[in-house]
Amino acid sequence: MIPSAIQIIQVFSPMKPQPELSVIVPLYNEEENVGRLYEAIEAALERLGESYEIIFVDDGSSDATFHRARELAQRHDRLRLIKFRRNYGQTPAMAAGIDYASGRILVTMDGDLQNDPGDIGRLISKIREGYDIVVGWRYNRQDKLITRKIPSRIANWLIGKVTGVPIKDNGCSLKAYRAELIKHIPLYSEMHRFIPAMTSVAGPRIAELKVMHHPRRFGNSKYGLSRIYKVLLDLLAVKTIISFSTRPLVWFGTIGLLPAAIATVLFGAVIEDVISGHDDYLAVKMGTGLVFMSGAAFMFMCGVLGELIHRTGNLKPSYQLAGRPAEMNLSENSSRRGTEGE
């Protein structure tokens, strides 16, 4: 359920029966690519002979990406458009598309024309073999060696070792999912690259498939070496989630054991000093013991709170969109009303 405070613009034709496929594409300053991208995706999906929808999520672009996408939506009734008020990042954009997708199988991909829509059919076929997630592997990646390929290889190795889910190309956005699985996975920060690891607690069947990767022809890359520290922090969070997601009290309680042990030793020393009549550093020992015991109690209470959140919470990615949900005709007037929103 989407909170009422979140606002959205959607441009699409009257609602149709549930499609089989939903293709979700985050866009950020891709004005030169958006038209070519839609044509390529549409051509690939038409060849499959399946019912489908295409969802473009404009992640607060500062160029003409949204306006060009809206023009496409006015001409094509299978295109749905979501616009964020500002740039939130690729993961919230994917999360919004997943939230609003209605297909039974969801496919995500980048909006820079480096992923090949022609591979979508192969991913769908793999899903129908019984897999829950199919991950694209850019085996002939067309990116810079130092700033993109080498850090990616190191990150993929590290992610596999830490999470126990050895994926060759976690950063490839071209993936296919069963909707009933992916819609229950909370996504935030830069978590889209950790989706296979995040779903591992549910025991999904995961397959990898070699996919095409093209050099970027238009626009500029939005990623660089600056994202490495975010990946490392998210990796720590993911490890915590998949290891202790159903037992937060155990995890926090384990952390609290050390300060509790130190506090016990210090209190024991205080009791011994009192019995023996020595008062050397009595106040220091007592104060330090109280600090460590307070730390242990705090960790225990965090564990209790975690248990409550796990059992009663409904965590969703936070993002804010522009406009309210609306189903609109493809005329300029109705599009304008939807854009203004409330």
Side-chain angles (χ1 to χ4, degrees):
M1 182 177 181
I2 303 299
S4 58
I6 292 177
Q7 298 181 328
I8 183 174
I9 288 176
Q10 290 180 301
V11 182
F12 52 94
S13 62
M15 191 64 68
K16 295 185 176 182
Q18 181 184 17
E20 184 68 18
L21 311 176
S22 294
V23 178
I24 301 158
V25 188
L27 300 169
Y28 179 61
N29 290 344
E30 298 287 0
E31 61 182 358
E32 295 176 289
N33 290 321
V34 64
R36 297 176 177 88
L37 177 66
Y38 178 80
E39 292 175 0
I41 295 175
E42 183 182 48
L45 296 181
E46 286 292 336
R47 289 195 296 269
L48 298 179
E50 304 272 6
S51 59
Y52 66 87
E53 66 179 359
I54 302 171
I55 301 177
F56 282 174
V57 184
D58 178 56
D59 186 20
S61 296
S62 57
D63 62 3
T65 297
F66 173 69
H67 299 290
R68 295 186 181 183
R70 185 170 61 181
E71 291 173 358
L72 287 169
Q74 291 168 358
R75 299 196 304 269
H76 302 278
D77 60 6
R78 286 175 172 151
L79 176 60
R80 303 174 68 187
L81 180 61
I82 298 173
K83 177 175 173 57
F84 283 5
R85 287 190 178 277
R86 65 172 178 84
N87 177 239
Y88 283 88
Q90 189 175 12
T91 299
M94 280 191 181
I98 290 168
D99 279 344
Y100 284 92
S102 54
R104 294 180 177 86
I105 299 175
L106 309 187
V107 176
T108 59
M109 63 184 299
D110 284 332
D112 55 11
L113 288 175
Q114 290 193 267
N115 294 144
D116 194 329
D119 288 319
I120 293 176
R122 297 170 56 232
L123 269 65
I124 300 302
S125 297
K126 205 71 176 173
I127 286 284
R128 287 178 174 153
E129 291 179 13
Y131 292 97
D132 300 300
I133 301 175
V134 182
V135 181
W137 170 25
R138 299 165 293 183
Y139 69 99
N140 187 22
R141 186 172 178 178
Q142 303 297 310
D143 279 323
K144 294 180 180 179
L145 179 65
I146 301 298
T147 59
R148 300 296 297 276
K149 295 170 76 171
I150 291 179
S152 178
R153 289 171 185 170
I154 295 173
N156 286 321
W157 176 83
L158 186 60
I159 291 170
K161 289 294 183 181
V162 172
T163 66
V165 184
I167 300 295
K168 296 183 179 69
D169 193 358
N170 286 278
C172 181
S173 295
L174 185 57
K175 297 182 176 75
Y177 312 91
R178 294 189 185 275
E180 64 266 23
L181 174 69
I182 189 62
K183 282 182 175 287
H184 290 89
I185 303 301
L187 299 177
Y188 55 92
S189 187
E190 299 290 330
M191 292 294 190
H192 67 276
R193 61 176 51 86
F194 298 110
I195 289 176
M198 292 279 285
T199 60
S200 64
V201 293
R205 294 190 64 197
I206 302 174
E208 294 186 85
L209 196 65
K210 290 183 178 179
V211 296
M212 295 292 293
H213 191 247
H214 304 288
R216 177 183 270 273
R217 295 172 57 196
F218 307 101
N220 299 312
S221 173
K222 312 304 186 297
Y223 297 102
L225 293 174
S226 60
R227 65 176 175 164
I228 293 177
Y229 81 97
K230 295 181 181 179
V231 173
L232 294 176
L233 292 176
D234 287 337
L235 179 58
L236 177 61
V238 168
K239 177 60 177 176
T240 302
I241 290 170
I242 64 178
S243 298
F244 302 101
S245 60
T246 59
R247 300 175 301 158
L249 183 56
V250 172
W251 186 64
F252 282 103
T254 302
I255 294 177
L257 285 177
L258 179 60
I262 295 174
T264 300
V265 171
L266 289 170
F267 288 151
V270 169
I271 293 172
E272 183 181 357
D273 287 345
V274 171
I275 294 175
S276 62
H278 299 139
D279 60 355
D280 296 340
Y281 306 107
L282 191 62
V284 174
K285 294 175 183 178
M286 177 64 75
T288 305
L290 287 173
V291 169
F292 277 102
M293 186 56 71
S294 298
F298 176 75
M299 297 308 298
F300 176 78
M301 294 306 299
C302 285
V304 172
L305 182 61
E307 290 284 347
L308 291 173
I309 292 173
H310 171 70
R311 295 179 185 280
T312 64
N314 182 21
L315 302 179
K316 280 290 184 181
S318 53
Y319 46 76
Q320 183 155 7
L321 315 176
R324 287 186 181 277
E327 180 171 321
M328 297 175 280
N329 296 322
L330 298 185
S331 65
E332 281 293 330
N333 290 336
S334 62
S335 176
R336 189 177 298 112
R337 288 197 299 271
T339 303
E340 292 171 354
E342 289 187 8

